Amino acid sequence: MTDLSTQDAPFAGSGSSLMRRRNRRQVMLQGLGLAAISFAALMLFVLIASLVSTGYKAFIQTHITVEVFVDPEEISVEKLPRGGFRDVLLASLQKEFPDVEGRAELRSLQNIFSNGAQFQLRDMVSADQSLIGQTVTLRAPVSDPFDQLAKGLVKRETPEQLRRVSDREIDWFDTLDAAGKISQPVNWGLITNADSRFPELAGLKGALVGSFWALLVCFLISFPLGIGAAIYLEEFAPKNRWSDLIEVNINNLAAVPSVVFGLLALAVFIGWFGMPRSAPIVGGMTLALMTMPTIIIATRAALKAVPPSIREAALGVGASRHQVVFGHVLPLAMPGILTGTIIGLAQALGETAPLLLIGMNAFITSAPTSPFDSATALPTQIFIWADSPERGFVSRTSAAILVLLTFLITMNAVAIYLRSKFERKW
Amino acid sequence: MTFLKTTVSAAALAALAAGAAQARDEIRIVGSSTVFPYTQAVAEQFSNVTGAPSPIVESTGTGGGMKIFCGGIGEGHPDLTGASRAMKPSEWELCATNGVTDVTEALIGYDGLSIAISRAAPNDWDLTLEQVFLALAAELPTADGWVANPNKKWSDIDASLPDIAILAYGPPPTSGTRDAFVELAMHPGCEARPAMKALKEADKDAHKAAVKEKCSLIRQDGPFVDAGENDNLIVQRLNADPNAMGIFGYSFLYENMDVLKAVNINGVAPSSDSIGDFSYPISRPLYFYVKNAHRGVIPNLQEFIEEYMSDDAMEPGGYLSERGMVVLPDDVRAKTQDAVINGESMAVPQS
């Protein structure tokens, strides 16, 4: 025993070795707890850092600006929306590089443009036919290999035959860049475009709208049903073996893996009811099955937290049980119920497995306009992009995850805000 | 509150009723994940050019796609399925029992399976299928029966190969790519073993059974790592470890030529030429199947098939070859285009 420890221990003497052991355990427990939290924080940091470091590049997109002469010989009013838009675009680049000749050369020159550029021009001309015969300024995305080049993801030092862009193409690109025709604006297309097989055109609109419809359907079904079930169980149901059995089953249901609900939906909603595959309505119904137990449990906890004195007071002044529940207990329990609901919905938003089973991982190049149109959801869109061979999808996958995380954090923040703002303590 | 509840429940019920009565005006496609990128390309091009509602393309795997495709005729069932192998007789029967009898088979092109390694790897690799089998099989045939694969390093297989531990990342057993790899690489490699040749001489049926059962088993003691369905992940792991190999579709190698290089098989590197003329041995045909009963019923289906079969898509340098598909030779292509556009019914598959 050293002097130091004798000084520190509150009770020196015969019990001090026991005391020292107790103190040591205390310190160790604290240390372990701290280590666990630091580890979790470190992992979170690594996750976010890796997502941001690969994903931030997807939030900007390289564009090319060209002066296009809408040649009436290629594009005529009668033939719209068809016409030689590709040729017109190529002609605009040929003006910059008059020495480029031959079919293969011209093809690779054309490939600077994203495939979407011709359709962008087509939509412009279709919307305003007076543009035919005039020169318009078009800012369109460049194709993925050039985008990767501009972002430094394709290295210029790599030997030519191993790159997707040749030395010649890099020369063209640099010439355009020097002429100020290349820009890197914020990539709003990531939010406003639907899916595409071209990374430079692919966006999350279809997934965002699909997730919105699915969550709306999920909310409309699970919220009223969940609250109804919870009110009955908490306020009206007699306490007997049956209600115990139901309670145990609801708790079990909350722990059922989501893929099981997906299989159920595949068999029942799509198989028996003949509902459409890939539709957000089916996705929402499936997610509702999953969310309902969470809402029931949260609602029951919130109802339980309302002190009995409130119910007794209301009953005492002659309110019926129905009036007690809807006039007094439910409004007081609402913050807790909403918190539980939002957390349940946030969970549903990130759910992937059941949606894969009902076909919400399809490739669709337009956003849905109703819950019955086929669509993807945010997590399934991430799944599709993560599996695509093009380089541009690597950063887009991370960007999509960041978008999903943003939504989740926002929803959880709202839940926390509601809880702290409206929750009452008795 | 009660009012809100009633309206909300009513809305939910109305939504349910409407869902059941939904009709379909877009094309639905399921099937192989290998054909998926090509169908995706056609679908996007088709909807951009014609303005028709965008076809819905789902990647379900070849077998899963056949199951859904053969579920029946009508709006609730898909119109097309992609396949990375020809339809099996059992699948044909399933189709027939559900009334799907008039089907057109379209051979669209070829896909190679590549074995790749990081550009940072010190050696250039050239393997035979027999060496691939010796490296990855669970059990090896010998004159005295089957023994567990003892090879841990490449130099254990052949002294000329480098002294490096065998490590290959590949697709999981559920994947069509894995099936193709087993059939196209493991089986020929296995049959090249002397013990199997002897068995073939002695007992043809036993040989056939052994190929099917024993030669298909990939080892599970470490050197082969099941890397999941995500091929991008394999690419990343190869970059991290220059001694590891990865097995995936040629399109992934094609997109990542700056960081990966191919392992040559029998001295042949995978390329669109070598895959197309089968001199690169691990290549397979890609198909799609279409229900002729849906033509003219589902809007735009015929036009979509015409787009798929168009020269723009199918010819060398067309947009499918830009995605890494190996195109058909000119004469075969012309014949296929004709047959598929006119809806020629396929014959009953034999094997």
Side-chain angles (χ1 to χ4, degrees), chain A residues 107 122 162 164 196-197 277-278 285 363 365-366 374 386 388 390-391, chain B residues 28 40-41 44 48 54 56-58 232 255-256 258 317 322-323:
Chain A
R107 259 184 80 100
R122 179 193 67 187
L162 307 179
R164 289 295 307 276
S196 167
R197 77 187 172 95
R277 267 179 87 81
S278 318
M285 286 163 67
F363 172 77
T365 55
S366 59
S374 297
S388 303
E390 282 83 2
R391 277 301 179 77
Chain B
R28 295 212 65 119
Q40 246 183 333
E44 186 166 357
N48 269 334
S54 58
I56 292 146
V57 193
E58 250 186 87
N232 270 327
E255 286 285 336
N256 292 288
D258 56 340
E322 273 174 14
R323 280 214 113 179

PDB file of all heavy atoms in Angstrom, chain A residues 107 122 162 164 196-197 277-278 285 363 365-366 374 386 388 390-391, chain B residues 28 40-41 44 48 54 56-58 232 255-256 258 317 322-323:
ATOM      1  N   ARG A 107     -18.342  10.837 -83.642  1.00  0.00           N
ATOM      2  CA  ARG A 107     -19.072  10.147 -82.569  1.00  0.00           C
ATOM      3  C   ARG A 107     -18.479  10.459 -81.201  1.00  0.00           C
ATOM      4  O   ARG A 107     -19.191  10.737 -80.245  1.00  0.00           O
ATOM      5  CB  ARG A 107     -18.985   8.639 -82.776  1.00  0.00           C
ATOM      6  CG  ARG A 107     -20.196   8.019 -83.365  1.00  0.00           C
ATOM      7  CD  ARG A 107     -19.965   6.536 -83.389  1.00  0.00           C
ATOM      8  NE  ARG A 107     -20.229   5.989 -82.072  1.00  0.00           N
ATOM      9  CZ  ARG A 107     -21.372   5.395 -81.781  1.00  0.00           C
ATOM     10  NH1 ARG A 107     -22.294   5.266 -82.689  1.00  0.00           N
ATOM     11  NH2 ARG A 107     -21.580   4.914 -80.580  1.00  0.00           N
ATOM     12  N   ARG A 122     -34.732  19.290 -77.391  1.00  0.00           N
ATOM     13  CA  ARG A 122     -36.024  18.972 -77.984  1.00  0.00           C
ATOM     14  C   ARG A 122     -37.155  19.610 -77.181  1.00  0.00           C
ATOM     15  O   ARG A 122     -38.068  20.210 -77.741  1.00  0.00           O
ATOM     16  CB  ARG A 122     -36.220  17.450 -78.013  1.00  0.00           C
ATOM     17  CG  ARG A 122     -37.555  17.042 -78.583  1.00  0.00           C
ATOM     18  CD  ARG A 122     -37.833  15.588 -78.316  1.00  0.00           C
ATOM     19  NE  ARG A 122     -38.024  15.349 -76.879  1.00  0.00           N
ATOM     20  CZ  ARG A 122     -38.151  14.142 -76.342  1.00  0.00           C
ATOM     21  NH1 ARG A 122     -38.069  13.084 -77.098  1.00  0.00           N
ATOM     22  NH2 ARG A 122     -38.331  14.000 -75.054  1.00  0.00           N
ATOM     23  N   LEU A 162      -6.154   2.900 -70.787  1.00  0.00           N
ATOM     24  CA  LEU A 162      -6.859   2.409 -69.603  1.00  0.00           C
ATOM     25  C   LEU A 162      -7.933   3.383 -69.121  1.00  0.00           C
ATOM     26  O   LEU A 162      -8.623   3.110 -68.166  1.00  0.00           O
ATOM     27  CB  LEU A 162      -5.860   2.169 -68.465  1.00  0.00           C
ATOM     28  CG  LEU A 162      -4.681   1.275 -68.825  1.00  0.00           C
ATOM     29  CD1 LEU A 162      -3.753   1.137 -67.654  1.00  0.00           C
ATOM     30  CD2 LEU A 162      -5.171  -0.077 -69.285  1.00  0.00           C
ATOM     31  N   ARG A 164     -11.384   5.883 -69.730  1.00  0.00           N
ATOM     32  CA  ARG A 164     -12.585   5.958 -70.569  1.00  0.00           C
ATOM     33  C   ARG A 164     -12.502   7.142 -71.531  1.00  0.00           C
ATOM     34  O   ARG A 164     -13.250   7.217 -72.481  1.00  0.00           O
ATOM     35  CB  ARG A 164     -13.846   6.072 -69.709  1.00  0.00           C
ATOM     36  CG  ARG A 164     -14.213   4.820 -68.964  1.00  0.00           C
ATOM     37  CD  ARG A 164     -14.591   3.697 -69.908  1.00  0.00           C
ATOM     38  NE  ARG A 164     -15.627   4.057 -70.859  1.00  0.00           N
ATOM     39  CZ  ARG A 164     -16.916   4.009 -70.617  1.00  0.00           C
ATOM     40  NH1 ARG A 164     -17.324   3.595 -69.459  1.00  0.00           N
ATOM     41  NH2 ARG A 164     -17.791   4.348 -71.529  1.00  0.00           N
ATOM     42  N   SER A 196     -32.152   7.452 -64.085  1.00  0.00           N
ATOM     43  CA  SER A 196     -31.667   7.302 -65.442  1.00  0.00           C
ATOM     44  C   SER A 196     -30.509   6.327 -65.417  1.00  0.00           C
ATOM     45  O   SER A 196     -29.893   6.127 -64.380  1.00  0.00           O
ATOM     46  CB  SER A 196     -31.199   8.649 -65.978  1.00  0.00           C
ATOM     47  OG  SER A 196     -30.458   8.472 -67.162  1.00  0.00           O
ATOM     48  N   ARG A 197     -30.219   5.733 -66.581  1.00  0.00           N
ATOM     49  CA  ARG A 197     -29.047   4.853 -66.602  1.00  0.00           C
ATOM     50  C   ARG A 197     -27.782   5.662 -66.779  1.00  0.00           C
ATOM     51  O   ARG A 197     -26.677   5.166 -66.642  1.00  0.00           O
ATOM     52  CB  ARG A 197     -29.165   3.825 -67.713  1.00  0.00           C
ATOM     53  CG  ARG A 197     -28.877   4.380 -69.071  1.00  0.00           C
ATOM     54  CD  ARG A 197     -29.172   3.388 -70.149  1.00  0.00           C
ATOM     55  NE  ARG A 197     -29.064   3.996 -71.445  1.00  0.00           N
ATOM     56  CZ  ARG A 197     -27.954   3.942 -72.192  1.00  0.00           C
ATOM     57  NH1 ARG A 197     -26.886   3.334 -71.746  1.00  0.00           N
ATOM     58  NH2 ARG A 197     -27.938   4.501 -73.358  1.00  0.00           N
ATOM     59  N   ARG A 277     -47.753  -4.509 -58.754  1.00  0.00           N
ATOM     60  CA  ARG A 277     -46.393  -4.582 -58.218  1.00  0.00           C
ATOM     61  C   ARG A 277     -45.771  -3.206 -58.236  1.00  0.00           C
ATOM     62  O   ARG A 277     -46.201  -2.341 -58.996  1.00  0.00           O
ATOM     63  CB  ARG A 277     -45.543  -5.501 -59.109  1.00  0.00           C
ATOM     64  CG  ARG A 277     -45.495  -6.933 -58.676  1.00  0.00           C
ATOM     65  CD  ARG A 277     -44.648  -7.723 -59.648  1.00  0.00           C
ATOM     66  NE  ARG A 277     -43.234  -7.683 -59.286  1.00  0.00           N
ATOM     67  CZ  ARG A 277     -42.685  -8.447 -58.350  1.00  0.00           C
ATOM     68  NH1 ARG A 277     -43.420  -9.297 -57.684  1.00  0.00           N
ATOM     69  NH2 ARG A 277     -41.402  -8.364 -58.087  1.00  0.00           N
ATOM     70  N   SER A 278     -44.748  -3.011 -57.426  1.00  0.00           N
ATOM     71  CA  SER A 278     -43.927  -1.784 -57.416  1.00  0.00           C
ATOM     72  C   SER A 278     -44.693  -0.520 -57.042  1.00  0.00           C
ATOM     73  O   SER A 278     -44.164   0.566 -57.175  1.00  0.00           O
ATOM     74  CB  SER A 278     -43.259  -1.517 -58.771  1.00  0.00           C
ATOM     75  OG  SER A 278     -42.757  -2.678 -59.319  1.00  0.00           O
ATOM     76  N   MET A 285     -48.855   0.128 -47.507  1.00  0.00           N
ATOM     77  CA  MET A 285     -49.642  -0.817 -46.695  1.00  0.00           C
ATOM     78  C   MET A 285     -48.713  -1.772 -45.960  1.00  0.00           C
ATOM     79  O   MET A 285     -48.935  -2.122 -44.799  1.00  0.00           O
ATOM     80  CB  MET A 285     -50.614  -1.582 -47.596  1.00  0.00           C
ATOM     81  CG  MET A 285     -51.784  -0.717 -48.045  1.00  0.00           C
ATOM     82  SD  MET A 285     -52.678  -1.378 -49.456  1.00  0.00           S
ATOM     83  CE  MET A 285     -53.386  -2.839 -48.760  1.00  0.00           C
ATOM     84  N   PHE A 363     -36.475  -0.132 -62.249  1.00  0.00           N
ATOM     85  CA  PHE A 363     -35.870   1.007 -62.930  1.00  0.00           C
ATOM     86  C   PHE A 363     -36.978   1.749 -63.666  1.00  0.00           C
ATOM     87  O   PHE A 363     -37.599   1.199 -64.564  1.00  0.00           O
ATOM     88  CB  PHE A 363     -34.810   0.515 -63.913  1.00  0.00           C
ATOM     89  CG  PHE A 363     -34.277   1.595 -64.798  1.00  0.00           C
ATOM     90  CD1 PHE A 363     -33.366   2.506 -64.296  1.00  0.00           C
ATOM     91  CD2 PHE A 363     -34.692   1.720 -66.105  1.00  0.00           C
ATOM     92  CE1 PHE A 363     -32.879   3.510 -65.105  1.00  0.00           C
ATOM     93  CE2 PHE A 363     -34.202   2.718 -66.921  1.00  0.00           C
ATOM     94  CZ  PHE A 363     -33.291   3.613 -66.418  1.00  0.00           C
ATOM     95  N   THR A 365     -37.986   5.628 -65.335  1.00  0.00           N
ATOM     96  CA  THR A 365     -37.387   6.918 -65.653  1.00  0.00           C
ATOM     97  C   THR A 365     -38.361   8.078 -65.490  1.00  0.00           C
ATOM     98  O   THR A 365     -38.106   9.167 -65.964  1.00  0.00           O
ATOM     99  CB  THR A 365     -36.844   6.927 -67.090  1.00  0.00           C
ATOM    100  OG1 THR A 365     -37.904   6.551 -67.969  1.00  0.00           O
ATOM    101  CG2 THR A 365     -35.703   5.965 -67.238  1.00  0.00           C
ATOM    102  N   SER A 366     -39.502   7.841 -64.860  1.00  0.00           N
ATOM    103  CA  SER A 366     -40.390   8.967 -64.586  1.00  0.00           C
ATOM    104  C   SER A 366     -40.853   8.872 -63.139  1.00  0.00           C
ATOM    105  O   SER A 366     -40.931   7.786 -62.573  1.00  0.00           O
ATOM    106  CB  SER A 366     -41.578   8.944 -65.529  1.00  0.00           C
ATOM    107  OG  SER A 366     -42.279   7.742 -65.391  1.00  0.00           O
ATOM    108  N   SER A 374     -46.078   2.921 -60.590  1.00  0.00           N
ATOM    109  CA  SER A 374     -44.886   2.231 -60.102  1.00  0.00           C
ATOM    110  C   SER A 374     -43.831   3.250 -59.697  1.00  0.00           C
ATOM    111  O   SER A 374     -43.700   4.283 -60.332  1.00  0.00           O
ATOM    112  CB  SER A 374     -44.334   1.328 -61.188  1.00  0.00           C
ATOM    113  OG  SER A 374     -45.288   0.340 -61.489  1.00  0.00           O
ATOM    114  N   ALA A 386     -26.186   1.487 -55.969  1.00  0.00           N
ATOM    115  CA  ALA A 386     -24.982   0.851 -55.434  1.00  0.00           C
ATOM    116  C   ALA A 386     -24.557  -0.306 -56.328  1.00  0.00           C
ATOM    117  O   ALA A 386     -23.409  -0.723 -56.321  1.00  0.00           O
ATOM    118  CB  ALA A 386     -25.233   0.353 -54.019  1.00  0.00           C
ATOM    119  N   SER A 388     -24.880  -0.368 -59.711  1.00  0.00           N
ATOM    120  CA  SER A 388     -24.698   0.010 -61.118  1.00  0.00           C
ATOM    121  C   SER A 388     -23.212   0.113 -61.453  1.00  0.00           C
ATOM    122  O   SER A 388     -22.434   0.584 -60.639  1.00  0.00           O
ATOM    123  CB  SER A 388     -25.367   1.364 -61.386  1.00  0.00           C
ATOM    124  OG  SER A 388     -26.715   1.288 -61.033  1.00  0.00           O
ATOM    125  N   GLU A 390     -21.536   1.997 -63.666  1.00  0.00           N
ATOM    126  CA  GLU A 390     -20.913   3.269 -64.037  1.00  0.00           C
ATOM    127  C   GLU A 390     -20.284   3.931 -62.822  1.00  0.00           C
ATOM    128  O   GLU A 390     -20.840   3.922 -61.730  1.00  0.00           O
ATOM    129  CB  GLU A 390     -21.938   4.222 -64.664  1.00  0.00           C
ATOM    130  CG  GLU A 390     -22.273   3.900 -66.098  1.00  0.00           C
ATOM    131  CD  GLU A 390     -23.322   2.815 -66.216  1.00  0.00           C
ATOM    132  OE1 GLU A 390     -23.802   2.353 -65.164  1.00  0.00           O
ATOM    133  OE2 GLU A 390     -23.649   2.414 -67.350  1.00  0.00           O
ATOM    134  N   ARG A 391     -19.108   4.581 -63.051  1.00  0.00           N
ATOM    135  CA  ARG A 391     -18.376   5.230 -61.979  1.00  0.00           C
ATOM    136  C   ARG A 391     -19.195   6.308 -61.277  1.00  0.00           C
ATOM    137  O   ARG A 391     -19.135   6.477 -60.071  1.00  0.00           O
ATOM    138  CB  ARG A 391     -17.151   5.915 -62.537  1.00  0.00           C
ATOM    139  CG  ARG A 391     -15.992   5.036 -62.714  1.00  0.00           C
ATOM    140  CD  ARG A 391     -15.568   4.402 -61.401  1.00  0.00           C
ATOM    141  NE  ARG A 391     -14.449   3.558 -61.720  1.00  0.00           N
ATOM    142  CZ  ARG A 391     -13.242   4.041 -61.941  1.00  0.00           C
ATOM    143  NH1 ARG A 391     -13.005   5.310 -61.822  1.00  0.00           N
ATOM    144  NH2 ARG A 391     -12.272   3.244 -62.271  1.00  0.00           N
TER     145      ARG A 391
ATOM    146  N   ARG B  28     -44.124  -3.887 -68.451  1.00  0.00           N
ATOM    147  CA  ARG B  28     -43.463  -4.404 -67.245  1.00  0.00           C
ATOM    148  C   ARG B  28     -42.454  -5.472 -67.623  1.00  0.00           C
ATOM    149  O   ARG B  28     -42.776  -6.397 -68.358  1.00  0.00           O
ATOM    150  CB  ARG B  28     -44.483  -5.007 -66.284  1.00  0.00           C
ATOM    151  CG  ARG B  28     -45.445  -3.994 -65.718  1.00  0.00           C
ATOM    152  CD  ARG B  28     -45.826  -4.414 -64.312  1.00  0.00           C
ATOM    153  NE  ARG B  28     -44.664  -4.350 -63.466  1.00  0.00           N
ATOM    154  CZ  ARG B  28     -44.580  -3.567 -62.408  1.00  0.00           C
ATOM    155  NH1 ARG B  28     -45.571  -2.813 -62.049  1.00  0.00           N
ATOM    156  NH2 ARG B  28     -43.493  -3.566 -61.678  1.00  0.00           N
ATOM    157  N   GLN B  40     -32.583  -1.669 -69.296  1.00  0.00           N
ATOM    158  CA  GLN B  40     -32.647  -0.301 -68.787  1.00  0.00           C
ATOM    159  C   GLN B  40     -32.355   0.700 -69.894  1.00  0.00           C
ATOM    160  O   GLN B  40     -33.083   1.669 -70.082  1.00  0.00           O
ATOM    161  CB  GLN B  40     -31.529  -0.133 -67.758  1.00  0.00           C
ATOM    162  CG  GLN B  40     -31.939   0.077 -66.362  1.00  0.00           C
ATOM    163  CD  GLN B  40     -30.687   0.309 -65.508  1.00  0.00           C
ATOM    164  OE1 GLN B  40     -29.576  -0.137 -65.800  1.00  0.00           O
ATOM    165  NE2 GLN B  40     -30.875   1.015 -64.431  1.00  0.00           N
ATOM    166  N   ALA B  41     -31.279   0.445 -70.640  1.00  0.00           N
ATOM    167  CA  ALA B  41     -30.860   1.373 -71.686  1.00  0.00           C
ATOM    168  C   ALA B  41     -31.956   1.509 -72.741  1.00  0.00           C
ATOM    169  O   ALA B  41     -32.304   2.609 -73.155  1.00  0.00           O
ATOM    170  CB  ALA B  41     -29.565   0.880 -72.330  1.00  0.00           C
ATOM    171  N   GLU B  44     -35.044   3.434 -71.336  1.00  0.00           N
ATOM    172  CA  GLU B  44     -34.885   4.879 -71.222  1.00  0.00           C
ATOM    173  C   GLU B  44     -34.913   5.533 -72.598  1.00  0.00           C
ATOM    174  O   GLU B  44     -35.590   6.541 -72.807  1.00  0.00           O
ATOM    175  CB  GLU B  44     -33.569   5.210 -70.504  1.00  0.00           C
ATOM    176  CG  GLU B  44     -33.438   6.688 -70.236  1.00  0.00           C
ATOM    177  CD  GLU B  44     -32.333   6.997 -69.246  1.00  0.00           C
ATOM    178  OE1 GLU B  44     -31.712   6.066 -68.719  1.00  0.00           O
ATOM    179  OE2 GLU B  44     -32.109   8.189 -69.003  1.00  0.00           O
ATOM    180  N   ASN B  48     -37.750   8.153 -73.899  1.00  0.00           N
ATOM    181  CA  ASN B  48     -37.305   9.489 -74.292  1.00  0.00           C
ATOM    182  C   ASN B  48     -37.696   9.810 -75.722  1.00  0.00           C
ATOM    183  O   ASN B  48     -38.119  10.921 -76.023  1.00  0.00           O
ATOM    184  CB  ASN B  48     -35.779   9.586 -74.181  1.00  0.00           C
ATOM    185  CG  ASN B  48     -35.351  10.086 -72.826  1.00  0.00           C
ATOM    186  OD1 ASN B  48     -36.114  10.795 -72.173  1.00  0.00           O
ATOM    187  ND2 ASN B  48     -34.176   9.725 -72.396  1.00  0.00           N
ATOM    188  N   SER B  54     -42.713   5.420 -69.158  1.00  0.00           N
ATOM    189  CA  SER B  54     -41.475   4.659 -69.089  1.00  0.00           C
ATOM    190  C   SER B  54     -41.740   3.227 -68.629  1.00  0.00           C
ATOM    191  O   SER B  54     -42.443   3.011 -67.654  1.00  0.00           O
ATOM    192  CB  SER B  54     -40.467   5.345 -68.171  1.00  0.00           C
ATOM    193  OG  SER B  54     -41.001   5.492 -66.896  1.00  0.00           O
ATOM    194  N   ILE B  56     -41.288  -0.339 -66.851  1.00  0.00           N
ATOM    195  CA  ILE B  56     -40.822  -0.610 -65.493  1.00  0.00           C
ATOM    196  C   ILE B  56     -39.958  -1.854 -65.517  1.00  0.00           C
ATOM    197  O   ILE B  56     -40.423  -2.937 -65.845  1.00  0.00           O
ATOM    198  CB  ILE B  56     -42.025  -0.755 -64.556  1.00  0.00           C
ATOM    199  CG1 ILE B  56     -42.681   0.604 -64.453  1.00  0.00           C
ATOM    200  CG2 ILE B  56     -41.606  -1.237 -63.193  1.00  0.00           C
ATOM    201  CD1 ILE B  56     -44.136   0.537 -64.312  1.00  0.00           C
ATOM    202  N   VAL B  57     -38.698  -1.683 -65.202  1.00  0.00           N
ATOM    203  CA  VAL B  57     -37.739  -2.773 -65.326  1.00  0.00           C
ATOM    204  C   VAL B  57     -37.296  -3.188 -63.937  1.00  0.00           C
ATOM    205  O   VAL B  57     -36.782  -2.372 -63.184  1.00  0.00           O
ATOM    206  CB  VAL B  57     -36.506  -2.340 -66.143  1.00  0.00           C
ATOM    207  CG1 VAL B  57     -35.701  -3.552 -66.533  1.00  0.00           C
ATOM    208  CG2 VAL B  57     -36.914  -1.554 -67.362  1.00  0.00           C
ATOM    209  N   GLU B  58     -37.493  -4.469 -63.615  1.00  0.00           N
ATOM    210  CA  GLU B  58     -37.117  -4.961 -62.297  1.00  0.00           C
ATOM    211  C   GLU B  58     -36.036  -6.009 -62.458  1.00  0.00           C
ATOM    212  O   GLU B  58     -36.122  -6.852 -63.352  1.00  0.00           O
ATOM    213  CB  GLU B  58     -38.326  -5.642 -61.665  1.00  0.00           C
ATOM    214  CG  GLU B  58     -38.930  -4.914 -60.520  1.00  0.00           C
ATOM    215  CD  GLU B  58     -40.013  -5.768 -59.925  1.00  0.00           C
ATOM    216  OE1 GLU B  58     -39.686  -6.595 -59.068  1.00  0.00           O
ATOM    217  OE2 GLU B  58     -41.172  -5.633 -60.336  1.00  0.00           O
ATOM    218  N   ASN B 232     -19.675  -3.664 -57.264  1.00  0.00           N
ATOM    219  CA  ASN B 232     -18.848  -2.490 -56.974  1.00  0.00           C
ATOM    220  C   ASN B 232     -17.987  -2.705 -55.739  1.00  0.00           C
ATOM    221  O   ASN B 232     -16.861  -2.234 -55.641  1.00  0.00           O
ATOM    222  CB  ASN B 232     -19.733  -1.265 -56.758  1.00  0.00           C
ATOM    223  CG  ASN B 232     -19.984  -0.538 -58.058  1.00  0.00           C
ATOM    224  OD1 ASN B 232     -19.122  -0.510 -58.922  1.00  0.00           O
ATOM    225  ND2 ASN B 232     -21.156   0.034 -58.196  1.00  0.00           N
ATOM    226  N   GLU B 255     -15.902  -1.052 -67.321  1.00  0.00           N
ATOM    227  CA  GLU B 255     -16.059   0.275 -66.724  1.00  0.00           C
ATOM    228  C   GLU B 255     -14.870   0.647 -65.835  1.00  0.00           C
ATOM    229  O   GLU B 255     -14.677   1.801 -65.513  1.00  0.00           O
ATOM    230  CB  GLU B 255     -17.330   0.345 -65.871  1.00  0.00           C
ATOM    231  CG  GLU B 255     -18.620   0.398 -66.649  1.00  0.00           C
ATOM    232  CD  GLU B 255     -18.875   1.765 -67.272  1.00  0.00           C
ATOM    233  OE1 GLU B 255     -18.328   2.764 -66.764  1.00  0.00           O
ATOM    234  OE2 GLU B 255     -19.602   1.820 -68.268  1.00  0.00           O
ATOM    235  N   ASN B 256     -14.101  -0.353 -65.395  1.00  0.00           N
ATOM    236  CA  ASN B 256     -13.043  -0.086 -64.412  1.00  0.00           C
ATOM    237  C   ASN B 256     -11.669  -0.471 -64.919  1.00  0.00           C
ATOM    238  O   ASN B 256     -10.783  -0.830 -64.140  1.00  0.00           O
ATOM    239  CB  ASN B 256     -13.340  -0.830 -63.100  1.00  0.00           C
ATOM    240  CG  ASN B 256     -14.544  -0.269 -62.400  1.00  0.00           C
ATOM    241  OD1 ASN B 256     -14.501   0.817 -61.842  1.00  0.00           O
ATOM    242  ND2 ASN B 256     -15.656  -0.983 -62.460  1.00  0.00           N
ATOM    243  N   ASP B 258      -9.276   1.206 -65.786  1.00  0.00           N
ATOM    244  CA  ASP B 258      -8.147   1.993 -65.295  1.00  0.00           C
ATOM    245  C   ASP B 258      -7.611   1.482 -63.968  1.00  0.00           C
ATOM    246  O   ASP B 258      -6.457   1.716 -63.638  1.00  0.00           O
ATOM    247  CB  ASP B 258      -8.509   3.482 -65.199  1.00  0.00           C
ATOM    248  CG  ASP B 258      -9.736   3.707 -64.331  1.00  0.00           C
ATOM    249  OD1 ASP B 258     -10.499   2.746 -64.130  1.00  0.00           O
ATOM    250  OD2 ASP B 258      -9.931   4.839 -63.862  1.00  0.00           O
ATOM    251  N   GLY B 317     -21.144  -0.836 -81.829  1.00  0.00           N
ATOM    252  CA  GLY B 317     -21.118   0.608 -81.589  1.00  0.00           C
ATOM    253  C   GLY B 317     -22.471   1.160 -81.215  1.00  0.00           C
ATOM    254  O   GLY B 317     -22.608   2.347 -80.941  1.00  0.00           O
ATOM    255  N   GLU B 322     -22.174   0.002 -76.060  1.00  0.00           N
ATOM    256  CA  GLU B 322     -21.544   1.034 -75.232  1.00  0.00           C
ATOM    257  C   GLU B 322     -21.633   0.692 -73.747  1.00  0.00           C
ATOM    258  O   GLU B 322     -20.854   1.175 -72.946  1.00  0.00           O
ATOM    259  CB  GLU B 322     -22.223   2.391 -75.470  1.00  0.00           C
ATOM    260  CG  GLU B 322     -21.631   3.149 -76.633  1.00  0.00           C
ATOM    261  CD  GLU B 322     -22.400   4.416 -76.946  1.00  0.00           C
ATOM    262  OE1 GLU B 322     -23.228   4.837 -76.109  1.00  0.00           O
ATOM    263  OE2 GLU B 322     -22.160   4.967 -78.023  1.00  0.00           O
ATOM    264  N   ARG B 323     -22.634  -0.090 -73.377  1.00  0.00           N
ATOM    265  CA  ARG B 323     -22.766  -0.491 -71.974  1.00  0.00           C
ATOM    266  C   ARG B 323     -21.992  -1.770 -71.681  1.00  0.00           C
ATOM    267  O   ARG B 323     -22.078  -2.276 -70.578  1.00  0.00           O
ATOM    268  CB  ARG B 323     -24.238  -0.720 -71.635  1.00  0.00           C
ATOM    269  CG  ARG B 323     -24.983   0.551 -71.378  1.00  0.00           C
ATOM    270  CD  ARG B 323     -26.031   0.326 -70.324  1.00  0.00           C
ATOM    271  NE  ARG B 323     -25.703   1.058 -69.126  1.00  0.00           N
ATOM    272  CZ  ARG B 323     -26.463   1.061 -68.040  1.00  0.00           C
ATOM    273  NH1 ARG B 323     -27.570   0.355 -67.988  1.00  0.00           N
ATOM    274  NH2 ARG B 323     -26.112   1.741 -66.987  1.00  0.00           N
TER     275      ARG B 323
END
